Amino acid sequence: MKRNLFYLLPLLLTLLAACAKNSGTSVIISAPVGTFNGQFRLLTKNSTGKYDTLKDSIILKMTNAYHFAVTADTTVKHAGSHGTFAFDGYYIQFNDSTFKSGVPRTKNHLVGVYQYIYDGTNFKMLRASSSTSPDTIGRYDLVKTAN
């Protein structure tokens, strides 16, 4: 009889663990949704090894339907644009409807994959050098101003 209980013990422990409430909490990644106001900076490494900085103020509007629009005075360094976005908590990807690949451009577009941090108010994005423009960094420092 003791031998049978010995063999049933692992089965009973497994069932008990399966039926117990899960005390672990799920992490909910909040979508960066709303109107964000702030600066875009383009840092470019010059011949001396130091970075030159170009700045432009932008407004970024992001919706629950995963659409975005860049507005404000986009005459300096950043283009006004719109499109869709997707995110996973570490990276955010923008698909700009106004961006044409292979066409020479004078302004930066919000397109491609960025690392980001969003705490519900502050929204910071960073895109490091790409093969087409080495030694450049695009950085967005934005603050939520409206839902």
Side-chain angles (χ1 to χ4, degrees):
M1 182 72 175
K2 287 184 182 179
R3 184 196 280 174
N4 289 341
L5 287 176
F6 183 72
Y7 290 122
L8 283 175
L9 187 59
L11 177 63
L12 291 173
L13 289 175
T14 304
L15 288 174
L16 182 64
C19 293
K21 286 187 177 181
N22 185 0
S23 63
T25 57
S26 298
V27 176
I28 298 173
I29 302 168
S30 61
V33 173
T35 302
F36 299 89
N37 193 351
Q39 281 198 335
F40 163 73
R41 290 181 180 94
L42 183 67
L43 294 95
T44 307
K45 189 182 272 188
N46 61 26
S47 59
T48 64
K50 295 183 180 179
Y51 281 92
D52 296 328
T53 305
L54 296 171
K55 297 179 187 178
D56 204 355
S57 295
I58 66 165
I59 296 173
L60 175 62
K61 296 179 181 179
M62 301 174 75
T63 69
N64 284 329
Y66 304 109
H67 286 86
F68 77 92
V70 175
T71 60
D73 181 13
T74 55
T75 58
V76 181
K77 194 60 187 162
H78 203 288
S81 60
H82 57 85
T84 60
F85 71 94
F87 67 99
D88 69 359
Y90 300 104
Y91 298 99
I92 188 164
Q93 179 175 356
F94 292 94
N95 302 308
D96 186 348
S97 300
T98 64
F99 180 75
K100 306 275 188 279
S101 183
V103 175
R105 55 193 161 106
T106 58
K107 296 181 184 178
N108 289 286
H109 286 255
L110 186 55
V111 64
V113 178
Y114 295 78
Q115 285 184 306
Y116 80 98
I117 297 173
Y118 177 58
D119 65 4
T121 304
N122 297 300
F123 186 37
K124 299 184 182 298
M125 298 183 295
L126 183 70
R127 183 172 183 177
S129 302
S130 67
S131 60
T132 57
S133 57
D135 299 330
T136 61
I137 298 171
R139 177 178 170 165
Y140 295 82
D141 293 312
L142 307 172
V143 175
K144 188 172 187 175
T145 56
N147 288 331

